[in-house]
Amino acid sequence: MRWLRGLGALVVLGVVLVGAPFALLAWGRFPADLTSLTRPDDGTLLLAVLTVAGWLSWTAFALATLAEAIRLGDREHRTLRLPLLGGLQQLSAGLLVAVLALAPGVAASQSPVQPPAAAAEPEPAPPEPAAAARAVEEPAVEPAESYLVEPGDDLWTVSARLLGDGGRWRELVAANPELLRDPTDRLTPGTRLALPASARRAPLTVTVERGDTLSGLALEHLGAAGRWPRIAGANRDLVTDPDHIEVGWRLAIPGVANSPRAGQQHRGSARSADDTGRSDLPSPGEVSGAPGDAASAPPSAPEPETRTRQTAGSGTAPATVDPASDPALPLLGTLGTLAAAAIIGVVETRRFLRLRERPVGRRLVPPDESAARLRAALGVRQEPDRLAALDAALRAVGRHCHAAGVPLPELERVVAGRERITLEWAGEAGPPPAGFTGTAQRWDALVAAPPDPAEHPCPYPAVVSLGSTADGDLVLVDAERSRVLGVATDDAELGRSALAAMGVELACAPWSDGVRLVAVGADAGLVALAGGDRVEVVATVPDAAERLRALVAGRRAALAQEPLASLRVDPDRADAVAPVVFCLLDDVPTSLADELDEVLAGPGTGVAALLATRPGADARWQVGGDVHQPRGLLAGVREPLRAHAIGESTRAGVSRLFHAADSDATTSAPWWRDPGVADDNVLALPQRALREGDPVDIVRFVPATEHPQVLLIGPAELRGAAGPEPTRSRQQLVELCAWLLEHPGSMATAMAAGLMVAESTRRSNLSRLRAWLGDAPDGAAYLPDAYSGRVLLHPGVTSDWHRLQVLLAPGVNRVGDSTLVAALDLVRGAPLADAAPTQWHWAEELRTDVSCALRDVGVVLTERALERGDVDLARWAASRALVVAPEDEQLMCARIRTELRASNTAEVERLVNHVTRQARVLGVDLLPETVELCQQALEGRVRARA
């Protein structure tokens, strides 16, 4: 059949492309003169029209065939599309693929011939001994030459997984002409596909070592970090989460056709960081094209104590960031991952404090749409584990120095990787203490197992990140040691953006909780919003400079007898020398910058300044480029950094986010019914015969669903799906289904933007979710194809959050007790209990609404039960609601009232102590009604007031 189909396609192409022109030349006619058009037609005019139409059709088909031939033969032109000829191109593609199937060896590879220059390229040098010691060898068994189709697979996703590029699907068609006659057909699960030659190369195997990532392995062995899906696809039995691989795993590295760098890079060829004190990165001179040998370049000498300004000028460009690999890039620019996590932490803490004061039946006004999108982007960017590990490591150093009575070492820089925190010292710091490894020059701590800080004050509270390496390692410096930390650039906006990033991070980072900030300039309000009471805004730069001089003079007098470092590690005296950082966000005259250098030179006083200075300054930290792709070089670090900055639009969005978190404004909750408000939801329910004020029990109006249901109140799950469960990325599909439920009729672009995923990931996940959901009993797909461009789930697909909304539609204060019990029966845990901080970032308001609604249900049902004397129901209702709203003050008060009614004195005392202790930990006051209840519970009466 393959030969017959191929020969038939060849005949069709020959007849159309060769025979048609001869036929048109032989039989076609054109009018001899235009005057014949005015006479009655004798058939000549019709024949002329047919001749013109024939030539136009032949031209269109010839162009479409030529375009498809180019697409099949040249990988760089996979996206070649001719306008208005999409249908003809598909027809031509089918014919050409059938013809190419006659020569499967050629059709399968579809690889352009190597140019002579590439063929003559010398063999790569053998690996260094360190590289040869790594476990990289050929596998003992032959790799599989076929692929078994799984539910949800399509040509694009299979090609992306196995060939590294979804656009290479034609190679699969060419290798399987009998199975894939129509490239638009959906793949049938269980079908075994032959793989083209480019996917059959015997892969190497690599033993995963600490610090390895899929993208890093792809860059090393396949020539590009973006080719990591090839490795993930070749190791599906191990890799279920592309962000997580274990040390010791043996991963197959599939072969790559025409990869100029494949086989030329060898693991371990770079010098060990432990051998040199830093990773063997290209020197600034090498990157910028300046002459010099990195191996022979001497280490940078530390700057003299009398001249410590770290300024920024024009720097050397690191690799450009691909927006497809960082979906948060358009909204956040180069805001650092630590700053993102710190901002999220502050916003969530303030939001929590507002929620604990929320009256029953009210809802906090949610942030506007733009602020919500920014919050979602911050959720994608943040790395809270790295933030917490760095905070713990810094505090552990102070605890060690205080306990051992040793001097606090001077911090040169911090390198915060995804797995390891490295503290690099300016001099000898002694052997690393418990919780650290390394040498006297550098101490390392694991992110997954940081040392115990034991609540010790941070001895380096002014540490701030400057930028990140190509591998994502963050580089931080101590602003106190720098004295004046500046940005030297001829781009005023870039200077403001870099300074804003420093100021916001210092205002939000957990290790900087003792830092006081003095801000001046256009962005001083942003820093004040981030830092709250710790930030003082002054009017002008001269005013700030005067404050700085006076503060330094006072500190020098106070520190005359004892150095700052010894006080900083003492828990009883650290607050007295807390750093004061002046954020000079307006232009600073050169003369004033030089004066501040002189004022701050000498022994440390705990005072530092962030400012912009003249371009071209003798800079240790250099920043250049533009605000969208700022770049920098730091002395002692050879690799160019991606400088951290907050662009103007991002600064405005962060300000709105802080405003929303600080606001205590509320509105009527949708699950509550205020008196006198028309109740359309209740009127819409059947069998209603109620008097005004009567409760309505609507449990009987909400039948159990037999269709798929997403469970969100607890660990996220998808139950009742008709198709086979996926073998990987299951939680991503649950999240996608929930997003579609909350955003019905959305376009594909809105989906990718809302979920903050790459387009290829969105397309693949949507296809696999369609297969998992399957078909309804009536044969309709639960996730139909979006021919209109708008994605809509089947009406039968729901969630427990939707069910809760239906139950509470008449209002928590209007429904019957059995309805409230049914609502609390939906609780399986906290909303989205198993979601990591970087997942479900779009669902923050949904999670808040679920918790608030169920908290109100718990309060109302507890009060009703106590009124009837039903202590057991009251205790169950409050405890159940506390699962979704733990530590909620009003629910804790409901529990206290319940145990008072039950005369359970010991439990009352425990609950009162818990509530008061929690308020002290949070640093907030108890609500007045809580204070009165606690007095009544423990003392039998409310204390008298004047």
Side-chain angles (χ1 to χ4, degrees):
M1 287 297 296
R2 177 167 63 87
W3 287 94
L4 290 177
R5 188 162 45 251
L7 291 174
L10 184 61
V11 170
V12 171
L13 286 174
V15 169
V16 176
L17 295 178
V18 180
F22 282 104
L24 289 171
L25 290 174
W27 299 321
R29 292 291 184 272
F30 290 96
D33 55 70
L34 296 178
T35 59
S36 63
L37 300 177
T38 61
R39 296 193 298 269
D41 183 27
D42 58 357
T44 303
L45 179 59
L46 176 60
L47 186 58
V49 171
L50 294 176
T51 301
V52 172
W55 279 111
L56 291 176
S57 300
W58 177 84
T59 303
F61 185 79
L63 290 175
T65 304
L66 177 62
E68 280 304 305
I70 294 174
R71 283 162 58 87
L72 288 172
D74 190 348
R75 186 175 302 169
E76 296 182 357
H77 294 84
R78 296 293 189 199
T79 59
L80 179 60
R81 296 280 185 187
L82 297 180
L84 305 179
L85 299 183
L88 282 177
Q89 278 194 244
Q90 285 191 353
L91 176 60
S92 300
L95 293 172
L96 288 174
V97 166
V99 172
L100 288 174
L102 297 175
V106 177
S109 64
Q110 295 298 323
S111 301
V113 179
Q114 287 282 1
E121 187 174 328
E123 290 293 324
E128 297 179 10
R134 297 293 301 268
V136 181
E137 68 272 353
E138 296 292 331
V141 297
E142 289 294 322
E145 296 190 0
S146 62
Y147 173 76
L148 189 64
V149 176
E150 295 185 357
D153 280 345
D154 54 34
L155 283 175
W156 185 279
T157 56
V158 172
S159 298
R161 186 182 309 128
L162 301 181
L163 308 181
D165 182 1
R168 297 174 62 188
W169 60 267
R170 288 173 179 78
E171 297 179 32
L172 286 176
V173 175
N176 300 271
E178 297 182 1
L179 297 176
L180 306 176
R181 292 187 295 273
D182 184 354
T184 62
D185 282 348
R186 294 172 67 176
L187 298 182
T188 303
T191 304
R192 186 165 293 280
L193 301 179
L195 300 183
S198 57
R200 296 181 198 153
R201 288 190 182 176
L204 300 175
T205 58
V206 173
T207 301
V208 176
E209 293 189 350
R210 187 172 304 281
D212 283 343
T213 62
L214 287 183
S215 58
L217 293 174
L219 177 63
E220 184 174 357
H221 295 286
L222 306 183
R227 294 172 180 166
W228 64 264
R230 303 187 189 184
I231 304 178
N235 299 273
R236 299 177 66 180
D237 56 332
L238 289 176
V239 181
T240 58
D241 180 357
D243 292 327
H244 177 75
I245 55 177
E246 293 283 353
V247 174
W249 281 0
R250 292 174 60 81
L251 299 181
I253 308 295
V256 181
N258 301 313
S259 175
R261 295 175 57 184
Q264 296 180 12
Q265 298 185 10
H266 301 278
R267 310 192 71 192
S269 59
R271 286 181 297 169
S272 169
D274 290 334
D275 296 336
T276 63
R278 56 179 178 269
S279 57
D280 190 22
L281 302 170
S283 68
E286 290 178 302
V287 176
S288 61
D293 183 5
S296 62
S300 301
E303 294 189 10
E305 185 67 19
T306 58
R307 192 69 176 176
T308 54
R309 185 193 310 173
Q310 296 179 3
T311 57
S314 58
T316 308
T320 303
V321 179
D322 180 9
S325 65
D326 186 0
L329 185 63
L331 286 175
L332 299 181
T334 56
L335 177 71
T337 58
L338 296 183
I343 292 172
I344 288 292
V346 169
V347 168
E348 289 185 347
T349 298
R350 295 179 185 178
R351 189 78 166 169
F352 169 77
L353 296 179
R354 300 286 81 78
L355 286 171
R356 65 180 293 275
E357 301 171 354
R358 178 186 64 88
V360 173
R362 304 293 294 178
R363 179 195 191 198
L364 292 181
V365 176
D368 60 39
E369 183 179 354
S370 61
R373 285 199 305 269
L374 184 70
R375 197 263 178 237
L378 289 168
V380 173
R381 178 71 61 82
Q382 69 165 337
E383 294 188 50
D385 291 345
R386 198 171 354 178
L387 184 81
L390 176 56
D391 181 46
L394 293 175
R395 295 179 188 274
V397 172
R399 177 173 59 85
H400 161 71
C401 293
H402 179 64
V406 298
L408 182 69
E410 190 172 3
L411 187 61
E412 176 72 21
R413 72 180 64 86
V414 179
V415 179
R418 289 188 172 89
E419 295 188 359
R420 187 182 301 273
I421 305 294
T422 299
L423 308 178
E424 300 183 10
W425 306 116
E428 294 282 340
F436 293 90
T437 59
T439 65
Q441 289 76 33
R442 50 186 293 160
W443 296 355
D444 296 325
L446 294 178
V447 171
D452 180 15
E455 298 298 328
H456 200 86
C458 179
Y460 308 103
V463 162
V464 64
S465 63
L466 298 181
S468 53
T469 67
D471 294 331
D473 294 345
L474 304 174
V475 180
L476 303 91
V477 299
D478 186 2
E480 276 193 87
R481 181 173 183 266
S482 303
R483 306 292 194 273
V484 177
L485 183 57
V487 177
T489 177
D490 54 5
D491 186 338
E493 172 56 26
L494 176 58
R496 286 191 293 268
S497 300
L499 288 173
M502 298 177 193
V504 169
E505 184 174 309
L506 283 172
C508 296
W511 58 80
S512 301
D513 54 3
V515 174
R516 288 186 290 143
L517 299 167
V518 179
V520 57
D523 295 311
L526 170 61
V527 178
L529 282 171
D533 296 338
R534 295 192 293 115
V535 179
E536 179 184 358
V537 177
V538 297
T540 65
V541 170
D543 291 341
E546 185 61 32
R547 291 281 305 278
L548 184 148
R549 296 187 195 97
L551 180 61
V552 170
R555 289 249 176 134
R556 289 210 188 283
L559 296 172
Q561 303 300 322
E562 192 167 5
L564 174 70
S566 61
L567 298 177
R568 190 57 63 72
V569 299
D570 187 343
D572 296 324
R573 298 187 292 174
D575 289 345
V577 289
V580 180
V581 179
F582 287 77
C583 301
L584 310 182
L585 307 176
D586 276 344
D587 293 336
V588 177
T590 301
S591 58
L592 180 57
D594 292 339
E595 181 185 350
L596 294 180
D597 265 336
E598 296 175 1
V599 170
L600 293 173
T605 59
V607 181
L610 309 179
L611 54 80
T613 187
R614 65 186 184 277
D618 184 14
R620 184 183 177 204
W621 166 235
Q622 304 179 40
V623 174
D626 57 56
V627 71
H628 302 293
Q629 289 288 347
R631 54 189 185 267
L633 287 172
L634 180 64
V637 177
R638 296 185 176 182
E639 180 179 3
L641 301 179
R642 182 189 185 199
H644 292 167
I646 307 180
E648 184 176 7
S649 61
T650 305
R651 296 200 296 273
V654 172
S655 295
R656 290 194 298 272
L657 197 61
F658 282 129
H659 272 299
D662 289 333
S663 175
D664 57 0
T666 62
T667 184
S668 180
W671 54 84
W672 196 265
R673 198 61 52 195
D674 291 330
V677 176
D679 199 339
D680 297 334
N681 291 320
V682 173
L683 292 174
L685 293 173
Q687 306 177 16
R688 180 177 184 267
L690 299 172
R691 295 187 303 273
E692 184 63 30
D694 285 349
V696 55
D697 193 337
I698 67 168
V699 174
R700 62 182 182 275
F701 301 138
V702 189
T705 179
E706 298 178 355
H707 300 286
Q709 185 180 34
V710 179
L711 302 182
L712 304 175
I713 310 175
E717 295 182 31
L718 175 59
R719 292 183 180 175
E725 288 198 15
T727 58
R728 58 189 176 88
S729 306
R730 188 175 186 273
Q731 287 302 102
Q732 290 187 29
L733 303 188
V734 176
E735 181 181 1
L736 173 58
C737 191
W739 191 92
L740 292 174
L741 281 173
E742 294 300 310
H743 304 84
S746 295
M747 306 290 284
T749 52
M751 190 189 312
L755 291 168
M756 294 282 173
V757 296
E759 173 59 21
S760 58
T761 301
R762 181 205 65 80
R763 188 186 299 110
S764 173
N765 285 350
L766 194 67
S767 177
R768 293 191 297 117
L769 176 61
R770 181 176 291 112
W772 186 13
L773 288 173
D775 297 334
D778 60 1
Y782 281 123
L783 180 52
D785 291 313
Y787 294 107
S788 66
R790 298 191 176 276
V791 184
L792 276 169
L793 288 167
H794 186 282
V797 182
T798 60
S799 69
D800 53 358
W801 168 230
H802 284 179
R803 182 177 176 85
L804 179 63
Q805 289 175 293
V806 173
L807 288 172
L808 304 182
V812 172
N813 53 329
R814 294 290 312 281
V815 298
D817 290 358
S818 60
T819 299
L820 298 182
V821 170
L824 290 175
D825 272 335
L826 296 175
V827 175
R828 299 173 300 109
L832 305 177
D834 57 347
T838 56
Q839 298 173 329
W840 295 80
H841 44 77
W842 57 271
E844 184 59 29
E845 286 306 311
L846 181 150
R847 188 170 65 89
T848 299
D849 282 348
V850 171
S851 299
C852 290
L854 288 168
R855 180 265 230 171
D856 288 357
V857 169
V859 171
V860 170
L861 184 56
T862 302
E863 295 299 331
R864 290 183 185 178
L866 289 178
E867 289 176 2
R868 297 196 306 269
D870 191 342
V871 174
D872 290 338
L873 178 60
R875 184 180 289 127
W876 177 85
S879 300
R880 194 77 165 178
L882 279 168
V883 173
V884 297
E887 312 298 343
D888 182 84
E889 189 170 323
Q890 295 191 54
L891 284 174
M892 293 299 297
C893 288
R895 287 279 292 115
I896 293 173
R897 285 192 290 270
T898 300
E899 300 307 326
L900 273 174
R901 176 66 65 90
S903 300
N904 190 347
T905 305
E907 183 65 8
V908 168
E909 291 182 358
R910 187 191 71 80
L911 291 171
V912 170
N913 290 333
H914 180 81
V915 169
T916 55
R917 184 170 57 251
Q918 177 192 351
R920 287 194 298 270
V921 171
L922 295 174
V924 297
D925 295 330
L926 291 171
L927 298 173
E929 52 269 31
T930 303
V931 174
E932 293 181 2
L933 176 63
C934 292
Q935 292 176 354
Q936 183 69 42
L938 294 186
E939 300 175 6
R941 61 183 177 83
V942 178
R943 296 176 184 175
R945 292 168 172 77

